[in-house]
Amino acid sequence: MKISVITAVYNAKETIADAIESTLAQDYPNVELVVVDGASADGTTALLEAFRDRIDIFISEPDKGIYDALNKGIRHATGDVIGFLHADDLFVSTDVLSRVAEVFADDSVDAVYGDLVYVSKAEPDRVIRYWQSGAYSVAKLKHGWMPPHPTFYMRRQLYEKHGAFDTSFRIAADYDCMLRFLGNVEIHPVYIADVMVKMRLGGESNRSLRNIIRKSKEDYRALKKNGVGGVWALVWKNLSKLPQFVKKQ
């Protein structure tokens, strides 16, 4: 089984090398690394050249945002399973993809997800928030539950059949995409009860108050679009984040 890991990047020269090295360090033997660079202007593209012989698919051209870049990655990926590691993120250990592959060895499994920790941008070993996913259920989905997208791996054929990211969303297309698959498509997801990814704080959705408000509006639109819930689902989705600051790995 081949696992494609897609990394979209734009002007992230300070962190992209860590993300790439984190994927290359995985002990699973059949990983396809797909890097989509939005024609970075800060030296990121030149930095990526140092990894060029170890990047399986490399695209560097202007795009219309992160979800357009991820869609490009999906179109070019050849793996049986697809996942994403963003330019600011790191795998928590070298065996994450091996554990993902073990679960996918069961042909009835369509998707796999796990836990995620938010870490300090300057000190990636310092945990700020712990996002413990828990087992999937439709009832929880309607109450704002969602697994962290950087831990979400799914069979490529499902993206081909049901589509990838709706680029009319600027911040919440990942939420919309997972609502589509978990709420409207009959898939069998499996939870790995362990931390899979470290995410540095300071991402697009929480970078400013304006973006937080925009994210909430887009989350609500995604809920309504997919017929999963409404205002109360959005309220519970946001309230559920509070315990993440208390629990630490």
Side-chain angles (χ1 to χ4, degrees):
M1 176 187 299
K2 182 192 293 185
I3 300 177
S4 295
V5 177
I6 299 171
T7 296
V9 57
Y10 179 69
N11 289 351
K13 67 177 182 179
E14 294 180 358
T15 60
I16 185 60
D18 289 346
I20 298 298
E21 288 172 352
S22 183
T23 299
L24 294 175
Q26 290 296 297
D27 61 15
Y28 186 66
N30 198 5
V31 178
E32 176 181 67
L33 176 54
V34 181
V35 178
V36 185
D37 170 44
S40 295
D42 70 337
T44 294
T45 307
L47 190 154
L48 286 169
E49 285 298 326
F51 298 98
R52 189 65 188 85
D53 61 338
R54 303 182 69 188
I55 297 174
D56 299 287
I57 298 172
F58 180 61
I59 302 165
S60 183
E61 62 187 20
D63 55 48
K64 299 175 182 178
I66 186 171
Y67 299 116
D68 180 40
L70 294 178
N71 282 344
K72 288 181 186 180
I74 291 171
R75 288 196 299 270
H76 285 82
T78 65
D80 304 286
V81 169
I82 289 177
F84 308 94
L85 190 77
H86 300 314
D88 289 341
D89 300 348
L90 301 162
F91 287 112
V92 75
S93 62
T94 59
D95 65 346
V96 171
L97 296 183
S98 291
R99 298 183 67 184
V100 168
E102 286 177 8
V103 180
F104 274 113
D106 180 347
D107 291 338
S108 72
V109 175
D110 298 306
V112 170
Y113 65 92
D115 296 344
L116 175 145
V117 288
Y118 289 87
V119 298
S120 165
K121 190 175 183 69
E123 303 174 65
D125 290 328
R126 184 163 69 89
V127 175
I128 308 297
R129 288 169 56 188
Y130 186 112
W131 186 343
Q132 186 173 29
S133 299
Y136 159 82
S137 75
V138 175
K140 287 168 64 176
L141 197 70
K142 292 180 178 179
H143 284 81
W145 175 89
M146 186 58 58
H149 185 247
T151 73
F152 189 76
Y153 285 75
M154 191 166 67
R155 296 193 187 274
R156 179 166 56 92
Q157 63 192 25
L158 288 167
Y159 285 113
E160 293 174 344
K161 183 176 182 180
H162 299 286
F165 298 102
D166 179 348
T167 56
S168 70
F169 292 88
R170 297 297 297 172
I171 296 178
D174 50 350
Y175 185 44
D176 169 67
C177 187
M178 288 191 293
L179 283 174
R180 184 192 325 141
F181 286 106
L182 295 174
N184 295 313
V185 179
E186 292 186 4
I187 68 170
H188 175 202
V190 172
Y191 170 48
I192 294 177
D194 207 350
V195 177
M196 294 171 60
V197 173
K198 295 179 180 181
M199 173 182 279
R200 287 182 172 92
L201 284 171
E204 188 66 25
S205 62
N206 56 25
R207 188 166 293 162
S208 66
L209 178 59
R210 179 181 179 182
N211 279 9
I212 291 171
I213 294 170
R214 182 173 187 173
K215 176 71 162 59
S216 293
K217 289 180 178 179
E218 289 198 1
D219 283 349
Y220 179 72
R221 179 160 72 94
L223 285 162
K224 299 300 289 184
K225 173 188 171 185
N226 291 283
V228 175
V231 172
W232 284 111
L234 180 61
V235 170
W236 284 114
K237 180 177 186 289
N238 289 324
L239 288 177
S240 69
K241 297 176 182 179
L242 296 177
Q244 296 174 10
F245 290 93
V246 178
K247 179 179 175 60
K248 296 293 178 69
Q249 187 180 12

